[in-house]
Amino acid sequence: MKIKTIEISGFRQISNATFNLEDRLTFLAGANNSGKTSLVELLNCVFNFGTEKLSGEDFSVVNTQQWVNDVYPQILNFFQEDTQKENIISNIHNLIFPNTDEKNEVIIEPIKLKFQIDYDVTNDDIRNFADYIMDLDPSSSSFYFVYEYNVDSSLFRKNLINNYDKLEHRIRKILLDPENNNDKNIKKIILKVYFESLSETIRFTDSKFENGGKIDRKDFIKLFNFQKIMAGRTLDDTSTDRSKILSKNIVDIASKDENWAKTIESLPDTILEAIENKNIEQIIKSTSIDSLKETMSSILMTNGGQTNEIIINMDITEDSLKSLLKNITSAQYMLDDHYLNESSQGLGYSNLIYMHLQLEKFNKTIDPLLVNLFVIEEPESHMHPQMQYVFSQYLLTYFDSRPKLQGFITTHSHEVVRGAKLSQLRVLRKVDSFKCTLYDLRSFHNNLEGMPELLDFYNYFYAISFPDIIFADKVILYEGDTERMLINSLLKLGKTPFPNLKSQYLSFVQVGGAYAVSYEPILKYLDIKSLIITDIDYGKDSNVKNEIEASESTNDSINKLLNTKLKTENKKNIKEIYSCREDNEPYVLISDNICMTFQGEKDGYTRTLEEAMLCKLYDVKVFDTLTKDQWKDKRKSDNLKYSIPNNISIGVREIINSTSKNKTDFMYSVVLNNKLMDTLPYYIEEGLKWLEK
């Protein structure tokens, strides 16, 4: 049995999400505060009995605030119109639960999980699940459950009665003195009543999650073998820590072995025999009990002569032996014939071994009659990047070799994501302060099946650039190193013109003009605001305005993205490409979240970045010319590094062509001589302003 799908609604930042799990291992990636830990905590609350339980704090903050703001004025009005306690309580209760009609209930959206659990008709034994079959279709091989955490009508009335006096006192105070309107305290009481009235129900249903019956929580939990490893785990990795976590886990694993019981069975007699041979019992008796005789005589005189003799009895059980073995077992590392304590290794190494031991312990408990789910939160903790990648590969191998085991890994590590496959990846991205969205890259991958070239592109470049995209707030796609150097230098200025971008996580993805178009589907799917900075690349021989406007771009991304936007296949000349841009802007909006910018008229009709930078600095067009001496004077004045050819009349293009092998040196000279803002091309400046919004 494996969990196929979990639909989640109403939980914290996750207002509505469908989490599809792979049969073996699923990776859930996201930046900090994107909701990864929340999801693990939710599953732990649902699948485990323990101290971790859902509460009112787990409801959506937005939904909660909206609800209390809606009901507050109506509750206030009930107190204004009536003074009878019973009437007011009934009115408030009927407001929330009108005529016991669930469709009209005025409640906060409940926390709800819908589970689809699939089984293999040929190989799986479903005896534990048989009572929960609702779909009689012989071709069906799934079970369906709904977990709901919602307000209970009878509990709400009871808690309203218990808190009524406090609520009435504060509301009457406001009604008497409207100017002293401290409604926050009243809203807190209303929410307290609501949150104390929450209860959970679990149902087994049909495939539409409608018809079915209730299942007791204990019976539901018995269907799952669930374990998690949270990121904040304690490890024995300092010289002052003597908890010996690794050693104790090794003993735990050994105790699950079938030979353990046989070996341990004879140990109590053996240990007792050794104790008797050493007269330990007699030593204890003579040094402690015999010395108590005088004290016992004194007690005898004060309690009416009622006392009992103290004797020694040693009861050695399996649990006490296991505890003993944990205390005396010590894991050590051997290096060049030297033995090192487990605390001698770094956090990353200890963390890796700890997770492996936990996996092995869980592996011993796998039950083919249950859903066996193992969750690791951020396994990359304390590991350096190479170790993160290698461990992700180990996890893939481990789960692939154990068909009854299912797991998912949460991560914010580029290397762990790089080690996964595109189809195994789910991404949580924060939409705003109180909402995150889940993206299923299995679905994205499946949609590429009819596009083999694009699928090959993603499979090949996934490990190279996709991890950076997944965790980014915004993405900049650029052509060459000089573009990245220019933008990074701009953002590092003390008074950068783009302060908001400076505080965000930007992902830089280097793409040639032919391949930026290939990134458009993933950027659109993940809804990441992205800026494509590319060269317009018209014919090099076009040197006057009319020739430039009549020529065509050789940039595949510009041609294909514009055709996609305009739903045409006709190739456009440069003048037509200029006309596709937004009004008074140097860029084209490919979609709501993707912008493409390139050189235009305000950039002097240039075709490359460096041409545009020189045209901006000297306020010229690409077809304007100067003498060699004039260029030398400008170069000396600005202290920039570019080559000047031996021509009579020289334009910007000739300068850049002569400097083509030293473009990086040119950019360094711009940065080091504080010419960034003086040379910043119009098309890049306006594109970055759009990205910053």
Side-chain angles (χ1 to χ4, degrees):
M1 264 76 68
K2 301 287 181 69
I3 297 177
K4 178 67 175 177
T5 301
I6 306 174
E7 295 181 32
I8 305 166
S9 60
F11 177 70
R12 297 184 190 173
Q13 298 169 295
I14 306 175
S15 59
N16 197 341
T18 299
F19 184 36
N20 296 310
L21 275 74
E22 300 291 307
D23 278 351
R24 302 294 172 83
L25 190 59
T26 308
F27 290 84
L28 178 65
N32 286 333
N33 298 319
S34 61
K36 303 186 303 296
T37 299
S38 293
L39 182 55
V40 176
E41 290 174 347
L42 174 61
L43 295 183
N44 187 58
C45 290
V46 173
F47 291 141
N48 269 338
F49 273 124
T51 56
E52 295 183 46
K53 295 181 180 179
L54 292 176
S55 69
E57 299 296 322
D58 294 311
F59 282 80
S60 162
V61 172
V62 174
N63 292 345
T64 298
Q65 194 61 48
Q66 182 64 51
W67 178 84
V68 76
N69 288 341
D70 289 343
V71 302
Y72 170 71
Q74 300 180 68
I75 291 175
L76 204 66
N77 190 52
F78 292 148
F79 281 91
Q80 284 180 311
E81 295 179 346
D82 207 325
T83 58
Q84 297 298 313
K85 178 177 179 178
E86 286 301 322
N87 293 342
I88 295 174
I89 288 174
S90 294
N91 287 336
I92 295 175
H93 187 269
N94 291 337
L95 167 68
I96 310 302
F97 306 98
N99 302 318
T100 65
D101 185 350
E102 291 185 5
K103 293 182 180 178
N104 296 321
E105 287 179 348
V106 182
I107 61 173
I108 305 171
E109 181 186 3
I111 296 172
K112 186 177 289 188
L113 288 83
K114 298 177 180 178
F115 298 94
Q116 177 183 339
I117 297 171
D118 287 359
Y119 63 93
D120 187 323
V121 177
T122 306
N123 298 315
D124 284 341
D125 185 336
I126 63 170
R127 72 180 76 166
N128 289 352
F129 288 80
D131 291 339
Y132 310 118
I133 293 177
M134 285 297 297
D135 196 337
L136 300 179
D137 183 352
S139 63
S140 174
S141 58
S142 300
F143 298 99
Y144 302 91
F145 297 92
V146 176
Y147 173 96
E148 186 172 71
Y149 192 59
N150 200 0
V151 63
D152 179 87
S153 173
S154 59
L155 284 176
F156 183 84
R157 176 180 282 277
K158 177 182 176 182
N159 287 312
L160 183 58
I161 293 170
N162 292 339
N163 289 273
Y164 179 83
D165 292 341
K166 188 186 295 184
L167 183 64
E168 181 188 39
H169 172 74
R170 299 196 179 180
I171 289 181
R172 297 292 180 201
K173 191 174 181 181
I174 286 179
L175 294 177
L176 289 172
D177 184 11
E179 305 225 349
N180 184 19
N181 191 355
N182 189 5
D183 59 1
K184 287 184 179 179
N185 288 331
I186 298 175
K187 290 179 180 179
K188 283 182 180 179
I189 297 173
I190 295 170
L191 286 173
K192 179 176 182 290
V193 171
Y194 194 97
F195 290 156
E196 288 179 349
S197 307
L198 297 170
S199 66
E200 58 185 8
T201 56
I202 305 174
R203 295 180 295 117
F204 58 95
T205 72
D206 57 20
S207 59
K208 296 181 179 179
F209 297 102
E210 293 174 353
N211 301 313
K214 286 188 177 181
I215 173 175
D216 186 78
R217 178 168 169 74
K218 289 182 180 179
D219 293 330
F220 177 74
I221 289 175
K222 288 178 182 177
L223 301 175
F224 300 88
N225 180 20
F226 174 84
Q227 183 176 331
K228 72 181 191 310
I229 304 178
M230 301 301 284
R233 45 193 169 267
T234 303
L235 293 172
D236 184 14
D237 49 10
T238 64
S239 58
T240 57
D241 185 358
R242 301 302 179 203
S243 57
K244 300 197 295 185
I245 296 296
L246 300 184
S247 306
K248 291 175 181 178
N249 276 278
I250 290 170
V251 174
D252 282 335
I253 293 173
S255 67
K256 304 294 183 184
D257 191 88
E258 59 183 11
N259 294 320
W260 171 272
K262 297 177 183 177
T263 306
I264 212 77
E265 187 176 347
S266 61
L267 276 180
D269 291 337
T270 305
I271 293 172
L272 279 173
E273 184 179 341
I275 290 172
E276 289 171 357
N277 290 338
K278 296 295 183 181
N279 294 321
I280 292 176
E281 184 176 345
Q282 184 58 41
I283 293 172
I284 295 172
K285 184 174 183 298
S286 63
T287 56
S288 58
I289 296 178
D290 289 350
S291 66
L292 287 174
K293 284 183 178 179
E294 188 174 331
T295 304
M296 297 301 293
S297 297
S298 300
I299 294 173
L300 184 64
M301 296 175 64
T302 61
N303 70 348
Q306 295 181 4
T307 186
N308 296 298
E309 183 182 358
I310 298 177
I311 64 172
I312 292 291
N313 182 29
M314 294 187 177
D315 182 17
I316 301 177
T317 64
E318 180 178 335
D319 287 340
S320 62
L321 283 175
K322 189 174 177 181
S323 178
L324 171 65
L325 287 171
K326 284 185 177 181
N327 287 324
I328 66 175
T329 301
S330 177
Q332 292 185 317
Y333 303 97
M334 188 173 74
L335 180 63
D336 296 334
D337 296 327
H338 296 286
Y339 290 93
L340 306 175
N341 291 332
E342 65 180 78
S343 61
S344 65
Q345 299 301 300
L347 281 165
Y349 201 70
S350 296
N351 192 40
L352 187 152
I353 295 173
Y354 173 79
M355 285 185 287
H356 171 75
L357 293 174
Q358 292 297 310
L359 275 167
E360 283 299 303
K361 281 172 62 177
F362 188 74
N363 190 44
K364 299 285 186 180
T365 69
I366 289 178
D367 188 337
L369 302 178
L370 306 179
V371 173
N372 299 281
L373 180 63
F374 193 91
V375 178
I376 306 177
E377 184 193 22
E378 297 175 3
E380 63 269 14
S381 297
H382 313 302
M383 296 185 193
H384 66 76
Q386 177 62 17
M387 187 182 287
Q388 293 172 16
Y389 178 81
V390 172
F391 189 62
S392 70
Q393 297 304 293
Y394 162 77
L395 288 173
L396 286 167
T397 304
Y398 189 94
F399 279 84
D400 281 344
S401 64
R402 291 158 177 81
K404 296 298 181 182
L405 178 58
Q406 186 180 26
F408 81 86
I409 310 299
T410 73
T411 184
H412 53 37
S413 162
H414 293 68
E415 295 303 321
V416 172
V417 169
R418 192 167 281 119
K421 296 177 182 176
L422 180 64
S423 57
Q424 292 176 305
L425 196 61
R426 313 292 180 262
V427 178
L428 268 170
R429 292 184 54 79
K430 205 162 187 179
V431 178
D432 57 40
S433 299
F434 302 106
K435 184 179 180 181
C436 61
T437 302
L438 182 66
Y439 299 90
D440 187 340
L441 294 193
R442 161 67 73 179
S443 297
F444 177 77
H445 184 271
N446 291 344
N447 290 335
L448 298 177
E449 294 293 346
M451 298 175 276
E453 289 185 7
L454 196 56
L455 186 59
D456 288 343
F457 175 85
Y458 281 130
N459 286 337
Y460 184 81
F461 285 99
Y462 162 77
I464 298 173
S465 54
F466 277 40
D468 292 324
I469 291 175
I470 284 167
F471 296 111
D473 295 320
K474 294 174 180 176
V475 175
I476 296 176
L477 296 94
Y478 64 98
E479 288 200 12
D481 292 333
T482 49
E483 281 93 345
R484 177 166 183 163
M485 189 184 302
L486 172 67
I487 296 169
N488 271 328
S489 300
L490 283 168
L491 297 180
K492 290 178 181 177
L493 289 174
K495 292 184 178 180
T496 177
F498 313 105
N500 292 335
L501 287 181
K502 187 175 183 178
S503 63
Q504 294 176 320
Y505 176 26
L506 296 179
S507 173
F508 289 86
V509 180
Q510 186 170 9
V511 293
Y515 293 103
V517 64
S518 298
Y519 284 89
E520 185 262 349
I522 189 69
L523 296 173
K524 191 172 182 179
Y525 181 77
L526 292 175
D527 197 26
I528 304 175
K529 193 169 186 179
S530 306
L531 176 66
I532 301 172
I533 300 174
T534 192
D535 291 331
I536 198 165
D537 286 337
Y538 56 76
K540 292 182 180 179
D541 296 331
S542 302
N543 289 316
V544 297
K545 178 181 176 182
N546 291 339
E547 288 180 0
I548 291 171
E549 291 182 335
S551 66
E552 294 181 343
S553 172
T554 59
N555 188 307
D556 277 352
S557 289
I558 290 178
N559 293 325
K560 290 178 180 178
L561 287 172
L562 287 181
N563 283 344
T564 299
K565 177 182 174 66
L566 301 174
K567 298 179 180 179
T568 179
E569 294 183 359
N570 298 326
K571 198 167 185 180
K572 299 164 187 59
N573 61 33
I574 297 302
K575 186 174 184 178
E576 290 171 327
I577 290 174
Y578 286 163
S579 69
C580 292
R581 297 169 303 184
E582 309 306 305
D583 292 341
N584 301 316
E585 299 293 355
Y587 53 73
V588 179
L589 290 178
I590 305 303
S591 64
D592 290 341
N593 68 303
I594 302 175
C595 170
M596 179 172 61
T597 187
F598 44 80
Q599 300 86 2
E601 303 94 331
K602 289 186 179 181
D603 296 296
Y605 292 89
T606 52
R607 64 185 298 278
T608 67
L609 168 67
E610 290 77 17
E611 287 181 7
M613 292 176 72
L614 284 182
C615 283
K616 171 73 179 296
L617 179 63
Y618 299 128
D619 193 23
V620 296
K621 301 286 191 293
V622 73
F623 35 74
D624 294 336
T625 59
L626 299 171
T627 66
K628 184 171 184 177
D629 288 339
Q630 287 175 311
W631 278 112
K632 284 183 177 180
D633 290 341
K634 290 182 179 295
R635 184 174 64 180
K636 183 177 181 181
S637 173
D638 296 317
N639 199 27
L640 298 183
K641 291 190 176 182
Y642 54 78
S643 300
I644 304 171
N646 291 315
N647 297 346
I648 297 174
S649 123
I650 305 167
V652 165
R653 183 158 301 151
E654 287 77 25
I655 294 290
I656 297 303
N657 287 340
S658 296
T659 315
S660 60
K661 294 183 180 180
N662 299 297
K663 288 183 179 180
T664 303
D665 290 340
F666 167 71
M667 188 60 70
Y668 267 109
S669 68
V670 169
V671 174
L672 294 174
N673 289 284
N674 299 316
K675 295 293 183 181
L676 283 168
M677 293 306 300
D678 295 334
T679 59
L680 179 60
Y682 177 71
Y683 75 100
I684 291 182
E685 181 178 8
E686 295 306 311
L688 291 174
K689 286 180 180 177
W690 172 87
L691 188 66
E692 190 177 40
K693 293 177 185 175

